[in-house]
Amino acid sequence: MSQSHTHTHPHAPFSFTPANRKLAEEIIARYPQGREASAVLPLLDLAQRQCGNWLPQTAIEHVAEVLDLAPIRVLEVASFYTMFNRKPVGRAFVQLCRTTPCWLRGSEELVATYKRITDCGPRATTPDGVFTLLEVECLGACSNAPVVQINDDFYEDLTAESFAEVLEAFKRGEKPKAGSQIGRVSSEPLGRDGE
Amino acid sequence: MPKLTIDGIAIEVPAGVTVLQACELAGKEIPRFCYHERLSIAGNCRMCLVEMEKSPKPIASCAMPVAEGMAIKTDSPMVKKARHGIVEFLLINHPLDCPICDQGGECDLQDQAMAYGAGLSRYNESKRAVEEKYMGPLVKTEMTRCIHCTRCVRFVTEVAGVEGLGLLGRGEHAEITTYLEQALDSELSGNVIDLCPVGALTAKPYAFVARPWELARTESVDVLDAVGAAICVDARDNEVVRILPRLNEAVNEEWLGDKSRFAVDGLKRQRLDRPYLRGADGRLAAVSWSDAFAAIAKRIKGVKGERIAAIIGDMADAEAMVALKDVMAKLDAPHIDCRQDGAAIDPSLRAGYLFNSTIAGLETADAVLLVASNPRAEAPLVMSRLRKAWLTLDAKLAAIGPVPPGNLPVESLGAGAKTLKDVADGKHPFAKVLSAAKRPALILGQGALRRSDVAAVLGTARRAADSLGLIRDGWNGFNMLHTAAARVGALDLGLVPESGARDLAGILEGASGGALDVVFLLGADEIDMAKLGRAFVVYLGHHGDAGATRADVVLPGAAYTEKNATYVNTEGRVQFARRAVHPPGDAREDWTILRALSDALGRSIDMSSLGDARRRLVAVNPIFDRAGAIVPAPWGDFGTEGKLDPAPFVTAIPDYYLTDPIGRASPTMAECSRIFVHHRASRTGTDG
């Protein structure tokens, strides 16, 4: 897909909600005068949150307008950072780590589990609009591998079974408890005897 | 000044220069793709790597400032290996399609891969391919060839001043594009083609036309606006195939406006290649030169000089104009006017009609007032200087009348002459800005002069220049921005009616009222032809435009690429256009036609060679002996105090692309006008 195709939700004019507009102004005020353009990253994040975890073209243009930037400058930033989604994603945006430690600890099983439960592959959204899967490289939680990030939260120490439970919960519209799924605190050793 | 050694050569360079510039000062060539002298430093191509003592890795010399005691090596094994590696990396995703690439033969990547590459690639995997991007009717893209140097992005943002291009994505997925693939809306967009070091951005109208080694190159000047940019006219056989800018720091640096670059296809269309005579049936029929001259002689015989008039067009060369002046003098005909747009400029004081600060000087101005001028359309290269003044000196910019579109912050002061009067009287706040500035300037556009109150507008502008300190030691900030290449030369030759003689309005009135019998048009196409009434019209020019359509006799002349001719630009700089190709068919150089006509009329002018014509120019005005130079014009009094018309100022040029017969004959310019001026859909659907 060409980089220049910005996907616009039909009939989706965008502007910040009054609360977000206020927040945006607070964010802009953190930067020195004349450097307001530096607020482009937090403002894009704000816009992405308001849009349901993706950035339609209208949101990019609105951020450009708020910061008095050319739309192309904002699009450059939005397209550079992989954490901005420029296509709509599901309610649960699943980023599954497949780098070596997670892979050694069974990330391939998690992919298979995801496929079994959602009947959908990576980089696609399920027809019910619940899940989108993105296979990613290291999320930085290797000691609690395998790990999956869903929206803002890490789900760690997963097995095929516990991952299935997490996904089922999202399917029901619930938000399961984030963090280690085996009750581990932070990344303490698994066995108390230094197993 | 820091001292350093480069390849063992000790050299002292100015502080603040980069290692790359220091290497050049030491006579060492450093290959580069992204670095460009006139753009900001990006440092992303890595081709300029050199070895620096005490640095474990090679450094990018374009981005490294010099420091005292540096020891640089540009030809060490490390540098050689680094260059091999960079070229190999750049070629990983670069298609080897040089045989079908328009850049072939003048490609930096081709040349540098030959000179600095290893000659071999170890890459066997698939190359990436990138979708073509639409950038408008002038720039053709082949984005698979792009090496992401971002020169085009930097040029468009920094010099052209439109935020049109950007680099989207990252790494392997990085792509250059315009926002939503809109056309690149800048009058300087063609320069990205020259800047592109590979064949990613090439000239759309020139696609697959010629190879650089087939072209004969002629150094000339542009006449499609009054800037007089230095150009190279590239011709193959007897056809001009493209026009490129040539370096002239004083005028165009190394840039060129799109009209000057791309109107070249208009030189092949609508050309007058034979003399024509209007027959009894009212239709123009091709005739021989002698028949055409005989018809003119027959009509003029017995006609008194005061019933003969001449109007001079925007692209007339000085030789033809002085020949016409002499022919008119021989006919005792007083009615002659070079201001076919009716801009009644006062020719009595040279400083009153010149761009006195000079074009290069404008970038040192720190406060500029535009009066009825939109330099973006009238002279894009002046606009880029104005932009530089704003970028480097934070120049305060304001406009009376239309505000130039774009991202330059120009404050609008008012719509018409009354605001100018307020400024001149010191009543307007901007008057203080101007008088407090070190180098204040005023740019007076032709839009302010095509009015009935010209003398008063000029007088008010002159008074503003005097009262606000625009004229001071070594600086004259009074600038008239012309739009016609012929105008300043014509004013220098005094081609305006003497007192009592008819000016443009008088000529048109006389012709329609029957007071004039014969009207000569020297390339004049922008007048209202209907007002010529029943006059016998002789048109001398190179395109079948409005003038030729109305004419009773058409004499085919030479376009600016087909003659050795003198032009004076808006600064008063005398420059020469040179012949690159021969005029088509029976067409001739304009002054030779006028000389032959004078013979046919039995009143020969004394001009039998180009040298004669040029000596005659110098005799009329010694300024023509000072080619290339700026001769500062003494300041004085001009204009009058009078009643100012309350009507708002308008710009002289509503459509940048269609200002002259060449542009109007050019399909490329028609397409540009359609897309950029008429704001139609930016995608044509015809470009694949």
Side-chain angles (χ1 to χ4, degrees), chain B residues 135-177:
Chain B
M135 288 193 189
L138 302 177
V139 182
K140 179 175 181 266
T141 67
E142 186 74 43
M143 299 317 286
T144 305
R145 296 179 188 143
C146 177
I147 58 168
H148 310 116
C149 68
T150 69
R151 273 186 188 181
C152 52
V153 177
R154 284 174 283 146
F155 172 82
V156 166
T157 313
E158 293 162 17
V159 180
V162 293
E163 307 257 7
L165 278 174
L167 179 81
L168 302 192
R170 55 150 88 175
E172 169 113 338
H173 304 290
E175 292 181 12
I176 301 279
T177 183

Side-chain angles (χ1 to χ4, degrees), chain B residues 377-393:
Chain B
E378 292 162 22
L381 294 163
V382 169
M383 194 65 182
S384 77
R385 299 282 188 167
L386 204 56
R387 187 175 165 73
K388 244 194 210 176
W390 173 68
L391 277 176
T392 55
L393 301 172

Side-chain angles (χ1 to χ4, degrees), chain B residues 150-207:
Chain B
T150 69
R151 273 186 188 181
C152 52
V153 177
R154 284 174 283 146
F155 172 82
V156 166
T157 313
E158 293 162 17
V159 180
V162 293
E163 307 257 7
L165 278 174
L167 179 81
L168 302 192
R170 55 150 88 175
E172 169 113 338
H173 304 290
E175 292 181 12
I176 301 279
T177 183
T178 52
Y179 187 68
L180 304 179
E181 299 204 25
Q182 290 160 344
L184 197 48
D185 189 7
S186 161
E187 291 77 14
L188 293 171
S189 68
N191 295 299
V192 300
I193 296 163
D194 294 343
L195 285 170
C196 184
V198 298
L201 306 178
T202 54
K204 205 177 246 183
Y206 179 69

Side-chain angles (χ1 to χ4, degrees), chain B residues 388-421:
Chain B
K388 244 194 210 176
W390 173 68
L391 277 176
T392 55
L393 301 172
D394 198 17
K396 303 283 174 290
L397 310 176
I400 299 176
V403 175
N407 65 357
L408 209 53
V410 181
E411 184 193 348
S412 176
L413 303 187
K418 194 188 163 294
T419 315
L420 180 62
K421 186 167 181 292

Side-chain angles (χ1 to χ4, degrees), chain B residues 619-660:
Chain B
V620 175
N621 191 336
I623 207 78
F624 284 94
D625 208 17
R626 303 288 302 275
I630 288 290
V631 182
W635 187 245
D637 192 18
F638 59 89
T640 57
E641 285 296 312
K643 204 167 148 28
L644 291 164
D645 187 343
F649 288 135
V650 291
T651 44
I653 296 184
D655 187 342
Y656 166 69
Y657 300 97
L658 302 177
T659 52
D660 52 76

Side-chain angles (χ1 to χ4, degrees), chain A residues 1-6 57-58 60-61 70-73 75-77 79-82 86, chain B residues 131 133 153 157 162-171 173-175 177-181:
Chain A
M1 181 57 72
S2 165
Q3 290 284 358
S4 67
H5 288 254
T6 301
Q57 180 198 320
T58 44
I60 287 171
E61 282 163 8
I72 185 84
R73 298 279 92 85
L75 183 58
E76 281 181 325
V77 173
S79 65
F80 183 88
Y81 290 98
T82 53
R86 286 169 56 230
Chain B
E131 273 178 35
K133 302 287 184 291
V153 177
T157 313
V162 293
E163 307 257 7
L165 278 174
L167 179 81
L168 302 192
R170 55 150 88 175
H173 304 290
E175 292 181 12
T177 183
T178 52
Y179 187 68
L180 304 179
E181 299 204 25

